[in-house]
Amino acid sequence: MPSRVLDDKELDLLKEVLASGDLSSLGGGMTPRFEAEFARAMNAKFAVAMNCAMSVLHAGGNSLRCSAGDEVICDPVFVFGAVATMYNNAVPVFVDIDPVTMNMNPDLIEEKITDRTKAIIVTHAWGLPAKMDRIVEIAHKHNLLVIEDCAHALFATYKGKYVGTWGDIGSFSFQMSKQMGLGDGGMAVTNSEDIAKALDLNAGAPTFASVAYGLHWNYRITEQTSAIVWHSWKKQKNTLRN
């Protein structure tokens, strides 16, 4: 069940943000605290907060240099990976699902790979992890990158490892229908410093820096959102793990 239990501590943290006069994650303190806590809990090296998970998927494809003419393998049921692919002017190529798990069927991936394939976006349906060992093995064999859509799979594990940390980027959602529904917000995790820096150009870098490096988006989370999410995350993470 999504977490919607808020208390006076969230209000105190919101007052702290308002009193600081810095409502942006640029220079604010709440967002870095939340990112560090999330990365630590997920056993990931880096976490980058954004305004929503759809932004994470969009920026994720951009950070992996998916662009016009590239193909990205997606599933045909959960449309967000395909939409993010098209946001980057790349072409979604659909691989069918296992009708029992609703997850991408690894047996059907290789037949869809071409010389234009750049990445795979895997959705973990309803909290049930996809077969990430096989998917990552295929991706590495063909020099493909992997984005995991974990919007419904916070703290789900596959073979003892958190989903979101099998591939190159994991995307998590805090929208109200998710396990930890706190209004909105998203988080990317990665173990690559280069990818983390690329994600940050869309999420945390000053706008002038993003423009100087290329065409990026301004998907920064606000300090107010981080204050609510950070404390609720601290309260709920042990419950969600169980």
Side-chain angles (χ1 to χ4, degrees):
M1 178 179 293
S3 165
R4 297 184 177 88
V5 181
L6 306 179
D7 58 31
D8 289 342
K9 182 61 177 176
E10 278 89 355
L11 183 58
D12 289 341
L13 289 171
L14 283 172
K15 289 179 179 178
E16 181 182 330
V17 170
L18 293 173
S20 75
D22 194 344
L23 308 187
S24 170
S25 57
L26 286 179
M30 293 295 174
T31 301
R33 287 157 73 181
F34 180 37
E35 290 173 329
E37 172 73 16
F38 196 94
R40 188 162 46 246
M42 296 301 302
N43 297 327
K45 292 182 179 179
F46 306 97
V48 181
M50 298 191 195
N51 60 347
C52 69
M54 193 68 235
S55 296
V56 173
L57 291 176
H58 182 196
N62 175 268
S63 300
L64 300 184
R65 300 183 184 277
C66 297
S67 59
D70 291 332
E71 295 176 351
V72 177
I73 290 175
C74 309
D75 73 84
V77 175
F78 300 92
V79 301
F80 307 105
V83 170
T85 296
M86 292 187 286
Y87 282 169
N88 286 300
N89 294 315
V91 179
V93 175
F94 295 112
V95 166
D96 209 353
I97 59 167
D98 181 316
V100 175
T101 66
M102 303 286 284
N103 286 318
M104 184 181 291
N105 187 341
D107 295 336
L108 305 178
I109 292 176
E110 285 196 279
E111 66 189 51
K112 295 296 182 76
I113 295 174
T114 72
D115 57 0
R116 291 188 175 186
T117 308
K118 192 69 169 285
I120 303 173
I121 298 179
V122 183
T123 304
H124 300 291
W126 320 122
L128 180 65
K131 295 178 179 178
M132 290 308 301
D133 52 349
R134 294 186 58 198
I135 292 172
V136 169
E137 181 182 11
I138 293 168
H140 288 173
K141 176 181 175 181
H142 295 275
N143 296 314
L144 305 179
L145 299 162
V146 177
I147 298 174
E148 297 177 69
D149 184 348
C150 310
H152 293 272
L154 182 60
F155 281 128
T157 60
Y158 180 72
K159 295 192 173 180
K161 185 175 180 178
Y162 288 126
V163 299
T165 62
W166 280 87
D168 298 279
I169 296 173
S171 171
F172 295 85
S173 174
F174 310 119
Q175 191 267 343
M176 286 303 289
S177 66
K178 306 307 187 294
Q179 287 103 329
M180 195 169 74
L182 299 165
D184 220 324
M187 186 74 80
V189 298
T190 182
N191 287 314
S192 165
E193 184 176 5
D194 288 341
I195 291 175
K197 289 178 178 178
L199 287 165
D200 197 55
L201 287 173
N202 293 293
T207 303
F208 66 86
S210 296
V211 173
Y213 280 95
L215 179 62
H216 297 92
W217 291 267
N218 185 352
Y219 287 154
R220 285 194 294 270
I221 196 170
T222 67
E223 280 288 275
Q224 303 94 296
T225 301
S226 289
I228 295 172
V229 175
W230 178 68
H231 179 63
S232 295
W233 164 260
K234 290 177 66 179
K235 289 190 301 182
Q236 295 295 321
K237 65 180 180 179
N238 291 330
T239 301
L240 291 167
R241 278 173 168 160
N242 297 323

